[in-house]
């Protein structure tokens, strides 16, 4: 295999500037970067920079631009489309930048660009504080946050991006900037929802909260009761108080049969929460109930298995629906009934309360009305990818008639053109103007942005993984991380 001249030149330049072992074009460290959550991603970057500092990141950005190499950032590696890796590109690996500094008095954490949700939650535990994270601990916090960040505390404290207070990032021209409401406010606005499309976030500052009492766990209902339970759940979700979060999973149980799983979190007075949880336990006859006072770390660990890196292949679609109407419930039941793999499932993320009260114009995130974000995940052991992608497409199509416009940017593949076009609601023109101002040459390609009037969709970093895997023998939550991190598999 011949190494391209631009790769050789970039590697020589970086090796001259950075500490020994920082740059890799092969070997164990290179392969460790390539091993991400979605095993369908078989992309081979030209070289990897294992960054330990902002200066390392800056050197990588400048070298990639100077030598014309595609660029991406790898942190948690949970992006389903596998966009943290770029074929024949330069990948900046931030997994050595996972530090978390906590100011318990100000209730602010400074989080390294490569830190995961688990890193953050562990650092907060001694202080009795919590941050808004997603539902899987190994997902990178930066990628999750910049694209949205649904999680069990969203109803009470908003999305992860609503709790972003500021960030340090490297722009395409190598400048290092600090952004917040007072410094580069337009870039700060764009980061909160526009994903990693504007620069590499090397650290961010997030707002912390005191847990008043976390009552959480799971309620599992047998599949024959699923339709009835979902119908009874609908009015509960519609009227849920901020403190109550219900994450609904249509999954396969340990015996291979479908089950309905409610992952419940109550952040408030435990006595008040018990009444709400008791109601959820009486929607049918559960086959399993595990509920009690818990910590944020224990809550995150409920989904630890979902974050394990294995040889499984994944693809996903997303739809958001306003409520669990009879038509939506019918589509969900039919979808699971036709699943092509027992590893596949549908997850419903509950968006309500504080997140729905944020003024839509205050961030680039496009949908602020109450809704359920459906994460349609096809998972399989290596086999015919087209079969499973067709299933994910079919479920998305069944939900389309009752779906809100657009889709969740952290989960959109580049081929979901209609959903991308509406993903940012009223913000499209403003977001594209920010892109043109801060990254006019398109050096960063993360979560997909709508096309400007003068452009078409593309080029594709890792188009939907299953197709890339079939056509190229290579590679698609956690997002192309050119500017932030590639994580978002779960919201």
């Amino acid at each position: 295999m011949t190494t391209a001249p631009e790769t050789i030149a970039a590697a020589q330049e970086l090796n001259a500037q950075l500490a020994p072992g920082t740059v890799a074009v092969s070997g164990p460290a290179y392969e460790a970067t390539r091993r991400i959550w979605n095993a369908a991603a078989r992309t081979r970057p030209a070289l990897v920079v294992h960054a330990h500092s902002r200066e390392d990141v800056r050197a990588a950005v400048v070298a990639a631009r100077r030598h014309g190499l595609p660029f991406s950032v790898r942190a948690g590696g949970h992006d389903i489309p596998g966009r943290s890796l770029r074929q024949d590109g330069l990948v900046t690996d931030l997994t050595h930048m996972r530090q978390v500094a906590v100011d318990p008095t100000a209730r602010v954490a400074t989080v390294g660009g490569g830190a995961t949700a688990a890193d953050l939650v562990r650092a907060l535990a001694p202080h009795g504080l919590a941050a808004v994270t997603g539902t899987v601990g190994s997902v990178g916090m930066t990628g999750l946050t910049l694209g949205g960040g649904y999680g069990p505390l969203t109803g009470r404290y908003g999305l992860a991006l609503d709790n972003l207070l500021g960030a340090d990032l490297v722009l395409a021209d190598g400048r290092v900037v600090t952004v917040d409401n007072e410094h580069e406010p337009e870039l700060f606005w764009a980061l909160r929802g526009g994903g990693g499309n504007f620069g590499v976030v090397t650290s961010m500052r997030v707002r912390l909260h005191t847990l008043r009492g976390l009552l959480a766990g799971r309620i599992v209902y047998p599949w024959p009761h699923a339709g009835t339970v979902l119908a009874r759940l609908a009015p509960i979700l519609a009227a849920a108080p901020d403190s109550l979060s219900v994450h609904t999973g249509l999954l396969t149980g340990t015996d291979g049969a479908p089950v309905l799983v409610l992952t419940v979190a109550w952040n408030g007075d435990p006595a008040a929460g018990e009444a709400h949880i008791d109601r959820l336990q009486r929607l049918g006859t559960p086959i399993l109930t595990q509920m009690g006072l818990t910590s944020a770390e224990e809550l995150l660990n409920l989904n630890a298995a979902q974050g394990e890196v294995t040889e499984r292949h994944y693809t996903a679609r997303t739809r958001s629906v306003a409520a669990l109407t009879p038509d939506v419930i019918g589509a969900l039941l039919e979808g699971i009934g036709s699943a092509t793999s027992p590893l596949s499932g549908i997850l419903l993320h509950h968006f309500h309360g504080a997140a729905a009260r944020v003024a839509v114009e205050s961030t680039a995130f496009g949908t602020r009305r109450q809704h359920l974000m459906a994460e349609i995940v096809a998972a399989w052991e290596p086999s015919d990818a087209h079969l499973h992608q067709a299933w994910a497409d079919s479920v998305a199509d069944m939900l389309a008639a009752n779906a809100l416009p657009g889709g969740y940017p952290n989960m959109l593949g580049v081929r979901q053109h209609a959903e991308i076009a509406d993903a940012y609601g009223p913000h499209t023109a403003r977001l594209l103007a920010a892109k043109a101002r801060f990254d006019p040459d398109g050096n960063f390609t993360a979560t997909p942005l709508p096309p400007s009037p003068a452009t078409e969709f593309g080029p594709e970093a890792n188009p939907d993984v299953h197709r890339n895997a079939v056509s190229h023998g290579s590679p698609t939550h956690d997002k192309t991380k050119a500017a932030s991190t590639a994580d978002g598999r779960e919201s």
Side-chain angles (χ1 to χ4, degrees):
M1 178 177 174
T2 303
T3 303
E6 57 268 24
T7 299
I8 295 173
Q12 290 174 339
E13 176 181 317
L14 289 165
N15 277 319
Q17 298 179 55
L18 306 180
T22 302
V23 180
V25 296
S26 63
Y30 171 90
E31 293 299 334
T33 294
R34 286 189 61 232
R35 184 170 168 78
I36 61 176
W37 182 74
N38 189 353
R42 300 300 186 189
T43 309
R44 295 202 67 87
L47 70 161
V48 173
V49 174
H50 294 98
H52 290 76
S53 68
R54 183 174 63 189
E55 290 68 30
D56 290 351
V57 173
R58 181 182 181 279
V61 169
V62 171
R65 186 179 186 188
R66 178 178 291 131
H67 298 287
L69 294 174
F71 182 82
S72 66
V73 177
R74 193 261 203 241
H78 271 269
D79 179 49
I80 285 183
R83 290 168 291 199
S84 55
L85 307 177
R86 294 293 299 273
Q87 183 67 31
D88 300 322
L90 188 158
V91 176
T92 299
D93 186 326
L94 300 184
T95 55
H96 294 286
M97 298 176 64
R98 295 171 61 172
Q99 66 279 5
V100 177
V102 181
D103 183 336
T105 302
R107 294 186 184 178
V108 174
T110 301
V111 182
T116 65
D119 293 331
L120 176 57
V121 169
R122 277 195 297 268
L124 299 180
H127 305 284
L129 296 171
V132 177
T133 71
T135 59
V136 174
S138 54
V139 167
M141 275 301 300
T142 303
L144 173 80
T145 299
L146 299 191
Y150 294 72
L153 301 182
T154 293
R156 189 165 183 83
Y157 301 124
L159 292 167
L161 66 81
D162 296 325
N163 292 272
L164 180 63
L165 299 174
D168 298 328
L169 66 160
V170 179
L171 301 183
D173 60 6
R175 284 184 296 147
V176 177
V177 298
T178 295
V179 300
D180 53 32
N181 281 323
E182 303 299 325
H183 305 90
E184 294 288 4
E186 190 65 9
L187 179 54
F188 184 48
W189 174 87
L191 284 180
R192 290 173 292 164
N197 289 296
F198 304 93
V200 183
V201 172
T202 57
S203 70
M204 60 182 186
R205 291 163 294 286
V206 299
R207 182 184 295 111
L208 305 178
H209 308 276
T210 301
L211 285 179
R212 296 176 54 196
L214 189 58
L215 190 60
R218 283 181 172 156
I219 307 167
V220 182
Y221 285 101
W223 191 245
H225 298 177
T228 300
V229 171
L230 289 171
R232 293 172 177 171
L233 178 63
I236 294 176
L237 296 184
D242 295 3
S243 293
L244 179 66
S245 173
V246 183
H247 180 272
T248 306
L250 294 85
L251 307 166
T252 299
T254 54
D255 62 354
V259 292
L260 181 67
V261 181
L262 306 183
T263 302
V264 182
W266 170 268
N267 175 29
D269 175 49
E274 287 174 0
H276 289 280
I277 290 173
D278 181 68
R279 187 180 178 192
L280 291 169
Q281 292 172 337
R282 296 177 182 274
L283 299 177
T285 303
I287 56 177
L288 175 68
T289 299
Q290 295 176 326
M291 197 71 57
L293 286 171
T294 188
S295 67
E297 189 170 4
E298 289 168 335
L299 176 59
L300 202 58
N301 286 338
L302 283 176
N303 297 310
Q306 295 181 24
E308 293 177 359
V309 177
T310 67
E311 293 305 311
R312 289 178 182 171
H313 291 199
Y314 298 89
T315 193
R317 292 292 305 275
T318 176
R319 293 286 189 191
S320 292
V321 297
L324 282 174
T325 64
D327 286 344
V328 168
I329 292 172
L332 294 171
L333 298 178
E334 183 178 350
I336 291 300
S338 62
T340 53
S341 166
L343 302 173
S344 299
I346 304 172
L347 307 173
L348 303 177
H349 298 269
H350 191 196
F351 183 98
H352 73 301
R357 293 193 296 271
V358 173
V360 69
E361 67 274 8
S362 64
T363 71
F365 192 80
T367 304
R368 286 295 179 175
R369 61 176 292 183
Q370 182 166 319
H371 64 268
L372 298 169
M373 188 272 285
E375 184 179 346
I376 306 156
V377 180
W380 64 97
E381 302 297 344
S383 60
D384 182 2
H386 293 290
L387 175 69
H388 307 293
Q389 174 61 29
W391 172 79
D393 288 341
S394 71
V395 178
D397 291 344
M398 285 189 280
L399 290 170
N402 296 284
L404 301 176
Y408 179 41
N410 268 349
M411 292 194 64
L412 289 176
V414 293
R415 289 192 172 95
Q416 274 84 67
H417 295 178
E419 292 165 80
I420 292 168
D422 293 326
Y424 297 95
H427 306 314
T428 297
R430 184 178 174 185
L431 195 60
L432 293 177
K435 177 68 171 175
R437 175 183 169 191
F438 294 104
D439 184 25
D441 298 324
N443 292 277
F444 302 114
T445 54
T447 48
L449 296 176
S452 67
T455 64
E456 300 293 333
F457 283 89
E460 303 180 10
N462 282 342
D464 295 321
V465 142
H466 69 288
R467 294 186 181 150
N468 212 349
V470 171
S471 61
H472 303 296
S474 78
T476 178
H477 151 28
D478 292 343
K479 312 130 225 279
T480 297
K481 270 25 192 186
S484 61
T485 57
D487 299 303
R489 183 193 68 75
E490 40 121 355
S491 55

